[in-house]
Amino acid sequence: MDILKTMDEIAWDIAKDEYISSLEEDKEVMSFDNGSIYFWTSDIENLIEEKLED
């Protein structure tokens, strides 16, 4: 991966964006600020469950 990132930054960006898009479609990650920061859905769910238990 580091080779692709170093040698072809455009291909790296495309691959990264496609990967993130697939994670979003599968609802494995979510963003609350239109894609600047992503969170694992499972982490959000765990946090909510912890807070509800308190």
Side-chain angles (χ1 to χ4, degrees), residues 10-24 35 38:
I10 294 171
W12 169 256
D13 286 339
I14 291 169
K16 180 182 64 174
D17 290 343
E18 288 177 355
Y19 177 67
I20 291 173
S21 289
S22 71
L23 290 174
E24 278 186 299
Y38 287 91

Side-chain angles (χ1 to χ4, degrees), residues 39-48:
F39 299 93
W40 291 105
T41 302
S42 60
D43 289 345
I44 300 294
E45 290 170 345
N46 290 337
L47 179 64
I48 292 170

Side-chain angles (χ1 to χ4, degrees), residues 28-43:
E28 292 187 40
V29 297
M30 60 177 61
S31 176
F32 301 102
D33 60 359
N34 296 322
S36 294
I37 300 172
Y38 287 91
F39 299 93
W40 291 105
T41 302
S42 60
D43 289 345

